[in-house]
């Protein structure tokens, strides 16, 4: 482990740029930490943190100048790896035939800065979905292979976090090229750096680092411990899959359906949700057509509309589908749970529906 | 297509905003004019051809006895009748009269109210004649309008989603103003189509595109009430451009 001083972080930015990376990471926009292109260290959310509860998010000032002192953004890295709107191909009519052209590769080469432990877990899950099996997603693959992941350990947790229940955090353990822990005290502000891959090591080459002494390592451990201690929410995973699958007619599904707006926010903010739809568009003459892929959600009616009608016409059916897929049939499908415990669906539900609360009720009276 | 389809545009009680969206298509307007024969569109051209028309766009609601008759003639002249905008589709902002006594309004507004011939209500076109497609919005979104015309010309289903504004809001990565600022946002119960314009400018959605496919308005009201909003605010939220659309109407009446 090594140390990079706060003042030298600019050198990391420069090195990343020199290696051809577009740096994306946290920045404040409209009183929310979002993920976007970062030009300089100054773009980071210095001195900001966030408070989160069911259906509520508020940006707050910290009493220090930490750069990664927020918990979690409503944005997820899937925004970059699996963009919400992407053109798949276009076709042009020529005399009696037509030609199809696919947009040529050369997608962006991202350096993701500030990836949390639960987000590494989410990327690993989406890797399974998009990169394994018979159908590999070329858009995801290209972006993923080119990207560099710089994880940053959590030093605080939100009331909505429950990563320990899902075994995904708060400590960063694998799946990164570099991992940082920010130590911010009144007299010393630095980052403890852990190298995960050769690719990560490469961008550190020209930086002035010094080895981390035991005291720095201990401070870094304390940072993560602080986050750990703040986590209140839990989700009992033992026997969960069987429990949910055996309770398709539990009265709680009706209860949650009364509250759920079927607005799709939970799926859009979830870092593992991966459903999409395709939309074909033509111009007025019909000589030019395009196919676009858009994020979709199991909460929309069209999603489950098949020949002859809608197979999930009630909100009860849609909420149940979402939650049981995430926590139960995902295991059948991919061998792991589809939830990382990031809590985004709890915070960003406009009526504060809480997946952990719903699960607990269903678990209680089997 | 050997013969170009004939297009007509009719106006009822409205502000002209939706017709202007069509004129606002600028670049595309020439292309549209190349593919359809604009046979009757007084806002754009004085040359008027007689019906019947292949496609008729109707803007505005029915507020007078005269218009209640006129819409029937328009329907008779139209193979496909498409309403454009909140007025034609839900009665518009002028449907606020439906919640009050219109005679009282006319007596205050007009010097000689006895010359005013108006109905007690403002109602959508579909209350009077069968409608083939309703394009939402106050005003309509010009890209949706072009998409609709494109789809018609190419004989395909238009990509006009009925899900919530939230889907569009999240796809454009706008941080939710309801959650991050406590704004009263109608997005979760409103149909997409505007591209989630207001949240992108840190305002709550005003519901211009009317109720979405599954509008759980009561759950949203309940959340607002729990978070300190009073009845007057709830009534005002649901009583906007689509006040007379049934889910919004019922919800506002519940809190009166
Ligand atoms: S659980 Fe919440 S965010 Fe998800 S669809 Fe229902 S109301 Fe929307
Ligand atoms: S289901 Fe909710 S808590 Fe779990 S990963 Fe998705 S957004 Fe996060
Ligand atoms: S700002 Fe409004 S439209 Fe956007 S996600 Fe939030 S509730 Fe939905």
């Amino acid at each position: 482990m090594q140390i990079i001083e706060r003042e030298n972080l600019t050198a990391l930015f420069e090195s990343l740029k020199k290696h051809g990376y577009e740096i994306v990471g946290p920045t404040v926009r409209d009183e929310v930490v979002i993920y976007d292109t970062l030009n300089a260290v100054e773009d980071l959310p210095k001195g900001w943190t966030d408070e989160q509860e069911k259906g509520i998010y508020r940006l707050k000032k910290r009493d220090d100048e930490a750069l990664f002192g927020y918990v979690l953004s409503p944005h997820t890295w899937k925004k970059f790896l699996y963009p919400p709107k992407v053109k798949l191909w276009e076709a042009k009519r020529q005399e009696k035939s037509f030609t199809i052209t696919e947009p040529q590769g050369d997608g962006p080469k991202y350096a993701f800065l500030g990836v949390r432990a639960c987000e590494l877990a989410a990327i690993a899950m989406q890797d399974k979905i998009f990169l394994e099996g018979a159908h590999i997603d070329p858009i995801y693959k290209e972006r993923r292979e080119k990207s560099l992941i710089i994880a940053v350990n959590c030093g605080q947790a939100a009331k909505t976090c429950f990563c320990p229940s899902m075994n995904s955090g708060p400590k960063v353990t694998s799946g990164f090229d570099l991992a940082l822990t920010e130590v911010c005290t009144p007299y010393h502000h630095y980052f403890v750096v852990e190298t995960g891959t050769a690719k990560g090591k490469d961008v550190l080459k020209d930086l002035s680092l010094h080895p981390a002494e035991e005291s720095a390592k201990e401070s870094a451990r304390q940072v993560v411990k602080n986050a750990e201690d703040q986590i209140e929410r839990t989700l009992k995973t033992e026997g969960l899959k069987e429990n949910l699958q055996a309770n398709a007619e539990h009265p709680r599904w009706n209860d949650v359906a009364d509250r759920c707006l079927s607005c799709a926010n939970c799926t859009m903010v979830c870092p593992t949700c991966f459903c999409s739809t395709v939309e074909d568009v033509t111009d007025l003459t019909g000589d030019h057509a395009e196919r676009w892929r858009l994020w979709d959600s199991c909460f929309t009616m069209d999603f489950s509309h098949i020949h002859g009608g809608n197979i999930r016409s009630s909100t009860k059916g849609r909420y149940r589908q979402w939650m049981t897929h995430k926590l139960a049939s995902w295991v059948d499908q991919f061998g792991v749970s589809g939830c990382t415990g990031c809590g985004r669906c709890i915070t960003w539900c406009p009526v504060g529906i809480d997946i952990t609360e719903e699960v607990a009720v269903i678990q209680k009276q089997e | 297509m050997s013969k170009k389809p004939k297009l007509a545009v009719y106006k009822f009680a409205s502000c002209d905003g939706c017709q202007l969206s069509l004129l606002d298509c600028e670049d595309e307007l020439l292309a549209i004019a190349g593919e359809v024969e604009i046979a009757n569109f007084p806002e754009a051209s004085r040359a008027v051809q007689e019906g019947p028309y292949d496609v008729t766009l109707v803007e505005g609601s029915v507020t007078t006895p005269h218009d209640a008759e006129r819409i029937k003639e328009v329907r008779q002249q139209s193979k496909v009748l498409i309403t454009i905008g909140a007025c034609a589709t839900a009665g518009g902002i002028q449907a606020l009269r439906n919640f009050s006594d219109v005679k009282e309004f006319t007596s205050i507004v007009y010097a000689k109210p006895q010359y005013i011939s108006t109905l007690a209500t403002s109602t959508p076109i579909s209350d009077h004649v069968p409608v083939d497609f309703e394009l939402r919005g106050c005003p309509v979104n010009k890209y949706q309008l072009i998409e609709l015309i494109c789809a018609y010309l190419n004989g395909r289903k238009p990509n006009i989603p009925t899900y919530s504004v939230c889907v569009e809001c999240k796809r454009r990565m706008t941080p939710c103003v309801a959650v991050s600022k406590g704004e009263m946002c109608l997005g979760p119960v409103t149909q997409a189509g505007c591209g989630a314009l207001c949240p992108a400018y840190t305002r709550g959605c005003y519901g211009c595109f009317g109720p979405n496919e599954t509008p759980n308005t009561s759950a949203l009201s309940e959340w607002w009430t729990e978070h300190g909003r009073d009845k007057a605010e709830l009534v005002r939220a649901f009583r906007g451009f689509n006040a007379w659309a049934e889910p919004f109407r019922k919800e506002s009446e519940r809190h009166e």
Side-chain angles (χ1 to χ4, degrees), chain A residues 30 58 75 260 263 265 280 282 295 301, chain B residues 156 159 164 170-171 179 181 213 216:
Chain A
D30 296 330
R58 292 291 180 274
H75 286 189
C260 174
C263 63
N265 273 302
D280 292 344
T282 49
W295 281 1
M301 289 293 268
Chain B
R156 64 172 171 83
N159 295 312
S164 70
K170 283 289 184 284
R171 279 190 196 140
V179 171
K181 295 182 185 51
E213 56 193 13
N216 191 351

mmCIF file with all atom_site columns, all heavy atoms in Angstrom, chain A residues 30 58 75 260 263 265 280 282 295 301, chain B residues 156 159 164 170-171 179 181 213 216:
data_model
loop_
_atom_site.group_PDB
_atom_site.id
_atom_site.type_symbol
_atom_site.label_atom_id
_atom_site.label_alt_id
_atom_site.label_comp_id
_atom_site.label_asym_id
_atom_site.label_entity_id
_atom_site.label_seq_id
_atom_site.pdbx_PDB_ins_code
_atom_site.Cartn_x
_atom_site.Cartn_y
_atom_site.Cartn_z
_atom_site.occupancy
_atom_site.B_iso_or_equiv
_atom_site.pdbx_formal_charge
_atom_site.auth_seq_id
_atom_site.auth_comp_id
_atom_site.auth_asym_id
_atom_site.auth_atom_id
_atom_site.pdbx_PDB_model_num
ATOM 1   N N   . ASP A 1 30  ? -27.237 20.583 -9.207  1.00 0.00 ? 30  ASP A N   1
ATOM 2   C CA  . ASP A 1 30  ? -28.578 20.799 -8.652  1.00 0.00 ? 30  ASP A CA  1
ATOM 3   C C   . ASP A 1 30  ? -28.760 20.141 -7.280  1.00 0.00 ? 30  ASP A C   1
ATOM 4   O O   . ASP A 1 30  ? -29.749 19.447 -7.036  1.00 0.00 ? 30  ASP A O   1
ATOM 5   C CB  . ASP A 1 30  ? -29.661 20.280 -9.617  1.00 0.00 ? 30  ASP A CB  1
ATOM 6   C CG  . ASP A 1 30  ? -29.669 21.059 -10.921 1.00 0.00 ? 30  ASP A CG  1
ATOM 7   O OD1 . ASP A 1 30  ? -29.311 22.248 -10.887 1.00 0.00 ? 30  ASP A OD1 1
ATOM 8   O OD2 . ASP A 1 30  ? -30.013 20.469 -11.960 1.00 0.00 ? 30  ASP A OD2 1
ATOM 9   N N   . ARG A 1 58  ? -30.940 14.637 0.808   1.00 0.00 ? 58  ARG A N   1
ATOM 10  C CA  . ARG A 1 58  ? -30.566 16.039 0.971   1.00 0.00 ? 58  ARG A CA  1
ATOM 11  C C   . ARG A 1 58  ? -29.044 16.160 0.987   1.00 0.00 ? 58  ARG A C   1
ATOM 12  O O   . ARG A 1 58  ? -28.363 15.404 1.698   1.00 0.00 ? 58  ARG A O   1
ATOM 13  C CB  . ARG A 1 58  ? -31.129 16.624 2.276   1.00 0.00 ? 58  ARG A CB  1
ATOM 14  C CG  . ARG A 1 58  ? -32.636 16.759 2.320   1.00 0.00 ? 58  ARG A CG  1
ATOM 15  C CD  . ARG A 1 58  ? -33.191 17.837 1.373   1.00 0.00 ? 58  ARG A CD  1
ATOM 16  N NE  . ARG A 1 58  ? -34.642 17.918 1.476   1.00 0.00 ? 58  ARG A NE  1
ATOM 17  C CZ  . ARG A 1 58  ? -35.506 17.155 0.787   1.00 0.00 ? 58  ARG A CZ  1
ATOM 18  N NH1 . ARG A 1 58  ? -35.066 16.260 -0.076  1.00 0.00 ? 58  ARG A NH1 1
ATOM 19  N NH2 . ARG A 1 58  ? -36.814 17.281 0.959   1.00 0.00 ? 58  ARG A NH2 1
ATOM 20  N N   . HIS A 1 75  ? -26.983 8.309  -9.537  1.00 0.00 ? 75  HIS A N   1
ATOM 21  C CA  . HIS A 1 75  ? -26.437 7.735  -10.771 1.00 0.00 ? 75  HIS A CA  1
ATOM 22  C C   . HIS A 1 75  ? -25.693 6.445  -10.461 1.00 0.00 ? 75  HIS A C   1
ATOM 23  O O   . HIS A 1 75  ? -25.228 6.240  -9.339  1.00 0.00 ? 75  HIS A O   1
ATOM 24  C CB  . HIS A 1 75  ? -25.475 8.720  -11.440 1.00 0.00 ? 75  HIS A CB  1
ATOM 25  C CG  . HIS A 1 75  ? -26.169 9.872  -12.109 1.00 0.00 ? 75  HIS A CG  1
ATOM 26  N ND1 . HIS A 1 75  ? -25.524 10.772 -12.912 1.00 0.00 ? 75  HIS A ND1 1
ATOM 27  C CD2 . HIS A 1 75  ? -27.474 10.257 -12.099 1.00 0.00 ? 75  HIS A CD2 1
ATOM 28  C CE1 . HIS A 1 75  ? -26.388 11.656 -13.376 1.00 0.00 ? 75  HIS A CE1 1
ATOM 29  N NE2 . HIS A 1 75  ? -27.573 11.383 -12.885 1.00 0.00 ? 75  HIS A NE2 1
ATOM 30  N N   . CYS A 1 260 ? -47.554 1.627  -4.287  1.00 0.00 ? 260 CYS A N   1
ATOM 31  C CA  . CYS A 1 260 ? -46.603 1.746  -5.406  1.00 0.00 ? 260 CYS A CA  1
ATOM 32  C C   . CYS A 1 260 ? -47.220 2.518  -6.573  1.00 0.00 ? 260 CYS A C   1
ATOM 33  O O   . CYS A 1 260 ? -48.350 2.268  -6.959  1.00 0.00 ? 260 CYS A O   1
ATOM 34  C CB  . CYS A 1 260 ? -46.176 0.349  -5.854  1.00 0.00 ? 260 CYS A CB  1
ATOM 35  S SG  . CYS A 1 260 ? -45.154 0.360  -7.336  1.00 0.00 ? 260 CYS A SG  1
ATOM 36  N N   . CYS A 1 263 ? -43.978 3.698  -11.127 1.00 0.00 ? 263 CYS A N   1
ATOM 37  C CA  . CYS A 1 263 ? -43.340 4.786  -11.876 1.00 0.00 ? 263 CYS A CA  1
ATOM 38  C C   . CYS A 1 263 ? -42.013 4.363  -12.495 1.00 0.00 ? 263 CYS A C   1
ATOM 39  O O   . CYS A 1 263 ? -41.474 5.059  -13.349 1.00 0.00 ? 263 CYS A O   1
ATOM 40  C CB  . CYS A 1 263 ? -43.116 5.969  -10.956 1.00 0.00 ? 263 CYS A CB  1
ATOM 41  S SG  . CYS A 1 263 ? -41.994 5.627  -9.584  1.00 0.00 ? 263 CYS A SG  1
ATOM 42  N N   . ASN A 1 265 ? -39.020 4.228  -11.114 1.00 0.00 ? 265 ASN A N   1
ATOM 43  C CA  . ASN A 1 265 ? -37.800 4.840  -10.589 1.00 0.00 ? 265 ASN A CA  1
ATOM 44  C C   . ASN A 1 265 ? -36.851 3.827  -9.951  1.00 0.00 ? 265 ASN A C   1
ATOM 45  O O   . ASN A 1 265 ? -35.633 3.914  -10.122 1.00 0.00 ? 265 ASN A O   1
ATOM 46  C CB  . ASN A 1 265 ? -38.153 5.916  -9.565  1.00 0.00 ? 265 ASN A CB  1
ATOM 47  C CG  . ASN A 1 265 ? -38.395 7.252  -10.221 1.00 0.00 ? 265 ASN A CG  1
ATOM 48  O OD1 . ASN A 1 265 ? -37.518 7.769  -10.902 1.00 0.00 ? 265 ASN A OD1 1
ATOM 49  N ND2 . ASN A 1 265 ? -39.579 7.793  -10.049 1.00 0.00 ? 265 ASN A ND2 1
ATOM 50  N N   . ASP A 1 280 ? -38.047 1.349  -33.059 1.00 0.00 ? 280 ASP A N   1
ATOM 51  C CA  . ASP A 1 280 ? -37.700 1.594  -34.459 1.00 0.00 ? 280 ASP A CA  1
ATOM 52  C C   . ASP A 1 280 ? -38.296 2.915  -34.891 1.00 0.00 ? 280 ASP A C   1
ATOM 53  O O   . ASP A 1 280 ? -39.473 3.172  -34.650 1.00 0.00 ? 280 ASP A O   1
ATOM 54  C CB  . ASP A 1 280 ? -38.257 0.474  -35.341 1.00 0.00 ? 280 ASP A CB  1
ATOM 55  C CG  . ASP A 1 280 ? -37.558 -0.848 -35.085 1.00 0.00 ? 280 ASP A CG  1
ATOM 56  O OD1 . ASP A 1 280 ? -36.476 -0.829 -34.470 1.00 0.00 ? 280 ASP A OD1 1
ATOM 57  O OD2 . ASP A 1 280 ? -38.090 -1.896 -35.484 1.00 0.00 ? 280 ASP A OD2 1
ATOM 58  N N   . THR A 1 282 ? -38.596 5.813  -38.188 1.00 0.00 ? 282 THR A N   1
ATOM 59  C CA  . THR A 1 282 ? -38.393 6.056  -39.614 1.00 0.00 ? 282 THR A CA  1
ATOM 60  C C   . THR A 1 282 ? -38.500 7.548  -39.849 1.00 0.00 ? 282 THR A C   1
ATOM 61  O O   . THR A 1 282 ? -39.054 8.258  -39.020 1.00 0.00 ? 282 THR A O   1
ATOM 62  C CB  . THR A 1 282 ? -39.492 5.370  -40.444 1.00 0.00 ? 282 THR A CB  1
ATOM 63  O OG1 . THR A 1 282 ? -40.760 5.711  -39.879 1.00 0.00 ? 282 THR A OG1 1
ATOM 64  C CG2 . THR A 1 282 ? -39.328 3.872  -40.466 1.00 0.00 ? 282 THR A CG2 1
ATOM 65  N N   . TRP A 1 295 ? -33.381 2.095  -22.014 1.00 0.00 ? 295 TRP A N   1
ATOM 66  C CA  . TRP A 1 295 ? -33.677 1.452  -20.736 1.00 0.00 ? 295 TRP A CA  1
ATOM 67  C C   . TRP A 1 295 ? -35.181 1.248  -20.622 1.00 0.00 ? 295 TRP A C   1
ATOM 68  O O   . TRP A 1 295 ? -35.962 2.162  -20.927 1.00 0.00 ? 295 TRP A O   1
ATOM 69  C CB  . TRP A 1 295 ? -33.258 2.369  -19.578 1.00 0.00 ? 295 TRP A CB  1
ATOM 70  C CG  . TRP A 1 295 ? -31.803 2.373  -19.274 1.00 0.00 ? 295 TRP A CG  1
ATOM 71  C CD1 . TRP A 1 295 ? -30.815 1.681  -19.915 1.00 0.00 ? 295 TRP A CD1 1
ATOM 72  C CD2 . TRP A 1 295 ? -31.154 3.125  -18.234 1.00 0.00 ? 295 TRP A CD2 1
ATOM 73  N NE1 . TRP A 1 295 ? -29.601 1.971  -19.336 1.00 0.00 ? 295 TRP A NE1 1
ATOM 74  C CE2 . TRP A 1 295 ? -29.778 2.845  -18.312 1.00 0.00 ? 295 TRP A CE2 1
ATOM 75  C CE3 . TRP A 1 295 ? -31.609 4.008  -17.253 1.00 0.00 ? 295 TRP A CE3 1
ATOM 76  C CZ2 . TRP A 1 295 ? -28.855 3.415  -17.435 1.00 0.00 ? 295 TRP A CZ2 1
ATOM 77  C CZ3 . TRP A 1 295 ? -30.693 4.584  -16.395 1.00 0.00 ? 295 TRP A CZ3 1
ATOM 78  C CH2 . TRP A 1 295 ? -29.335 4.285  -16.477 1.00 0.00 ? 295 TRP A CH2 1
ATOM 79  N N   . MET A 1 301 ? -46.365 -0.884 -18.561 1.00 0.00 ? 301 MET A N   1
ATOM 80  C CA  . MET A 1 301 ? -47.355 -1.827 -19.080 1.00 0.00 ? 301 MET A CA  1
ATOM 81  C C   . MET A 1 301 ? -46.855 -2.516 -20.354 1.00 0.00 ? 301 MET A C   1
ATOM 82  O O   . MET A 1 301 ? -47.059 -3.710 -20.541 1.00 0.00 ? 301 MET A O   1
ATOM 83  C CB  . MET A 1 301 ? -48.672 -1.097 -19.368 1.00 0.00 ? 301 MET A CB  1
ATOM 84  C CG  . MET A 1 301 ? -49.396 -0.671 -18.113 1.00 0.00 ? 301 MET A CG  1
ATOM 85  S SD  . MET A 1 301 ? -49.990 -2.069 -17.162 1.00 0.00 ? 301 MET A SD  1
ATOM 86  C CE  . MET A 1 301 ? -51.619 -2.225 -17.858 1.00 0.00 ? 301 MET A CE  1
ATOM 87  N N   . ARG B 2 156 ? -47.035 2.245  -39.600 1.00 0.00 ? 156 ARG B N   1
ATOM 88  C CA  . ARG B 2 156 ? -46.570 1.517  -38.418 1.00 0.00 ? 156 ARG B CA  1
ATOM 89  C C   . ARG B 2 156 ? -47.132 2.156  -37.154 1.00 0.00 ? 156 ARG B C   1
ATOM 90  O O   . ARG B 2 156 ? -47.684 3.259  -37.199 1.00 0.00 ? 156 ARG B O   1
ATOM 91  C CB  . ARG B 2 156 ? -45.042 1.487  -38.378 1.00 0.00 ? 156 ARG B CB  1
ATOM 92  C CG  . ARG B 2 156 ? -44.411 2.863  -38.228 1.00 0.00 ? 156 ARG B CG  1
ATOM 93  C CD  . ARG B 2 156 ? -42.914 2.788  -37.987 1.00 0.00 ? 156 ARG B CD  1
ATOM 94  N NE  . ARG B 2 156 ? -42.299 4.099  -38.057 1.00 0.00 ? 156 ARG B NE  1
ATOM 95  C CZ  . ARG B 2 156 ? -42.266 4.961  -37.040 1.00 0.00 ? 156 ARG B CZ  1
ATOM 96  N NH1 . ARG B 2 156 ? -42.807 4.643  -35.881 1.00 0.00 ? 156 ARG B NH1 1
ATOM 97  N NH2 . ARG B 2 156 ? -41.710 6.142  -37.183 1.00 0.00 ? 156 ARG B NH2 1
ATOM 98  N N   . ASN B 2 159 ? -44.357 5.395  -31.838 1.00 0.00 ? 159 ASN B N   1
ATOM 99  C CA  . ASN B 2 159 ? -43.667 5.221  -30.558 1.00 0.00 ? 159 ASN B CA  1
ATOM 100 C C   . ASN B 2 159 ? -44.108 6.343  -29.617 1.00 0.00 ? 159 ASN B C   1
ATOM 101 O O   . ASN B 2 159 ? -43.413 7.337  -29.455 1.00 0.00 ? 159 ASN B O   1
ATOM 102 C CB  . ASN B 2 159 ? -42.152 5.301  -30.745 1.00 0.00 ? 159 ASN B CB  1
ATOM 103 C CG  . ASN B 2 159 ? -41.613 4.171  -31.598 1.00 0.00 ? 159 ASN B CG  1
ATOM 104 O OD1 . ASN B 2 159 ? -41.954 3.005  -31.373 1.00 0.00 ? 159 ASN B OD1 1
ATOM 105 N ND2 . ASN B 2 159 ? -40.805 4.493  -32.585 1.00 0.00 ? 159 ASN B ND2 1
ATOM 106 N N   . SER B 2 164 ? -44.679 6.515  -17.201 1.00 0.00 ? 164 SER B N   1
ATOM 107 C CA  . SER B 2 164 ? -44.555 7.760  -16.442 1.00 0.00 ? 164 SER B CA  1
ATOM 108 C C   . SER B 2 164 ? -43.466 8.690  -16.985 1.00 0.00 ? 164 SER B C   1
ATOM 109 O O   . SER B 2 164 ? -42.537 8.254  -17.671 1.00 0.00 ? 164 SER B O   1
ATOM 110 C CB  . SER B 2 164 ? -44.225 7.431  -14.988 1.00 0.00 ? 164 SER B CB  1
ATOM 111 O OG  . SER B 2 164 ? -42.907 6.918  -14.911 1.00 0.00 ? 164 SER B OG  1
ATOM 112 N N   . LYS B 2 170 ? -35.365 9.748  -15.723 1.00 0.00 ? 170 LYS B N   1
ATOM 113 C CA  . LYS B 2 170 ? -34.202 8.945  -15.353 1.00 0.00 ? 170 LYS B CA  1
ATOM 114 C C   . LYS B 2 170 ? -33.322 8.676  -16.551 1.00 0.00 ? 170 LYS B C   1
ATOM 115 O O   . LYS B 2 170 ? -32.098 8.665  -16.436 1.00 0.00 ? 170 LYS B O   1
ATOM 116 C CB  . LYS B 2 170 ? -34.667 7.619  -14.736 1.00 0.00 ? 170 LYS B CB  1
ATOM 117 C CG  . LYS B 2 170 ? -35.143 7.749  -13.294 1.00 0.00 ? 170 LYS B CG  1
ATOM 118 C CD  . LYS B 2 170 ? -33.985 8.017  -12.341 1.00 0.00 ? 170 LYS B CD  1
ATOM 119 C CE  . LYS B 2 170 ? -34.428 8.062  -10.890 1.00 0.00 ? 170 LYS B CE  1
ATOM 120 N NZ  . LYS B 2 170 ? -35.134 9.314  -10.520 1.00 0.00 ? 170 LYS B NZ  1
ATOM 121 N N   . ARG B 2 171 ? -33.910 8.472  -17.720 1.00 0.00 ? 171 ARG B N   1
ATOM 122 C CA  . ARG B 2 171 ? -33.084 8.210  -18.901 1.00 0.00 ? 171 ARG B CA  1
ATOM 123 C C   . ARG B 2 171 ? -32.221 9.418  -19.240 1.00 0.00 ? 171 ARG B C   1
ATOM 124 O O   . ARG B 2 171 ? -31.154 9.268  -19.814 1.00 0.00 ? 171 ARG B O   1
ATOM 125 C CB  . ARG B 2 171 ? -33.971 7.876  -20.110 1.00 0.00 ? 171 ARG B CB  1
ATOM 126 C CG  . ARG B 2 171 ? -34.443 6.446  -20.146 1.00 0.00 ? 171 ARG B CG  1
ATOM 127 C CD  . ARG B 2 171 ? -35.084 6.181  -21.494 1.00 0.00 ? 171 ARG B CD  1
ATOM 128 N NE  . ARG B 2 171 ? -35.892 4.970  -21.484 1.00 0.00 ? 171 ARG B NE  1
ATOM 129 C CZ  . ARG B 2 171 ? -37.071 4.871  -22.100 1.00 0.00 ? 171 ARG B CZ  1
ATOM 130 N NH1 . ARG B 2 171 ? -37.575 5.896  -22.756 1.00 0.00 ? 171 ARG B NH1 1
ATOM 131 N NH2 . ARG B 2 171 ? -37.733 3.741  -22.061 1.00 0.00 ? 171 ARG B NH2 1
ATOM 132 N N   . VAL B 2 179 ? -37.460 13.801 -4.681  1.00 0.00 ? 179 VAL B N   1
ATOM 133 C CA  . VAL B 2 179 ? -36.670 13.196 -3.611  1.00 0.00 ? 179 VAL B CA  1
ATOM 134 C C   . VAL B 2 179 ? -35.594 14.158 -3.094  1.00 0.00 ? 179 VAL B C   1
ATOM 135 O O   . VAL B 2 179 ? -35.374 14.265 -1.893  1.00 0.00 ? 179 VAL B O   1
ATOM 136 C CB  . VAL B 2 179 ? -36.041 11.868 -4.096  1.00 0.00 ? 179 VAL B CB  1
ATOM 137 C CG1 . VAL B 2 179 ? -35.042 11.334 -3.086  1.00 0.00 ? 179 VAL B CG1 1
ATOM 138 C CG2 . VAL B 2 179 ? -37.128 10.832 -4.370  1.00 0.00 ? 179 VAL B CG2 1
ATOM 139 N N   . LYS B 2 181 ? -35.419 17.514 -3.381  1.00 0.00 ? 181 LYS B N   1
ATOM 140 C CA  . LYS B 2 181 ? -35.845 18.843 -2.937  1.00 0.00 ? 181 LYS B CA  1
ATOM 141 C C   . LYS B 2 181 ? -37.226 18.876 -2.312  1.00 0.00 ? 181 LYS B C   1
ATOM 142 O O   . LYS B 2 181 ? -37.703 19.929 -1.867  1.00 0.00 ? 181 LYS B O   1
ATOM 143 C CB  . LYS B 2 181 ? -35.820 19.813 -4.121  1.00 0.00 ? 181 LYS B CB  1
ATOM 144 C CG  . LYS B 2 181 ? -34.431 20.054 -4.660  1.00 0.00 ? 181 LYS B CG  1
ATOM 145 C CD  . LYS B 2 181 ? -34.464 21.062 -5.788  1.00 0.00 ? 181 LYS B CD  1
ATOM 146 C CE  . LYS B 2 181 ? -33.097 21.205 -6.405  1.00 0.00 ? 181 LYS B CE  1
ATOM 147 N NZ  . LYS B 2 181 ? -32.491 19.908 -6.779  1.00 0.00 ? 181 LYS B NZ  1
ATOM 148 N N   . GLU B 2 213 ? -50.477 5.520  -17.760 1.00 0.00 ? 213 GLU B N   1
ATOM 149 C CA  . GLU B 2 213 ? -51.245 4.276  -17.928 1.00 0.00 ? 213 GLU B CA  1
ATOM 150 C C   . GLU B 2 213 ? -51.777 3.709  -16.614 1.00 0.00 ? 213 GLU B C   1
ATOM 151 O O   . GLU B 2 213 ? -52.795 3.033  -16.587 1.00 0.00 ? 213 GLU B O   1
ATOM 152 C CB  . GLU B 2 213 ? -50.358 3.237  -18.625 1.00 0.00 ? 213 GLU B CB  1
ATOM 153 C CG  . GLU B 2 213 ? -49.037 3.003  -17.868 1.00 0.00 ? 213 GLU B CG  1
ATOM 154 C CD  . GLU B 2 213 ? -47.990 2.240  -18.655 1.00 0.00 ? 213 GLU B CD  1
ATOM 155 O OE1 . GLU B 2 213 ? -48.148 2.093  -19.874 1.00 0.00 ? 213 GLU B OE1 1
ATOM 156 O OE2 . GLU B 2 213 ? -47.004 1.793  -18.033 1.00 0.00 ? 213 GLU B OE2 1
ATOM 157 N N   . ASN B 2 216 ? -51.570 6.047  -9.986  1.00 0.00 ? 216 ASN B N   1
ATOM 158 C CA  . ASN B 2 216 ? -51.940 5.820  -8.588  1.00 0.00 ? 216 ASN B CA  1
ATOM 159 C C   . ASN B 2 216 ? -51.885 7.168  -7.851  1.00 0.00 ? 216 ASN B C   1
ATOM 160 O O   . ASN B 2 216 ? -51.004 7.422  -7.023  1.00 0.00 ? 216 ASN B O   1
ATOM 161 C CB  . ASN B 2 216 ? -50.996 4.798  -7.955  1.00 0.00 ? 216 ASN B CB  1
ATOM 162 C CG  . ASN B 2 216 ? -51.489 4.336  -6.592  1.00 0.00 ? 216 ASN B CG  1
ATOM 163 O OD1 . ASN B 2 216 ? -52.446 4.889  -6.048  1.00 0.00 ? 216 ASN B OD1 1
ATOM 164 N ND2 . ASN B 2 216 ? -50.825 3.339  -6.031  1.00 0.00 ? 216 ASN B ND2 1
#
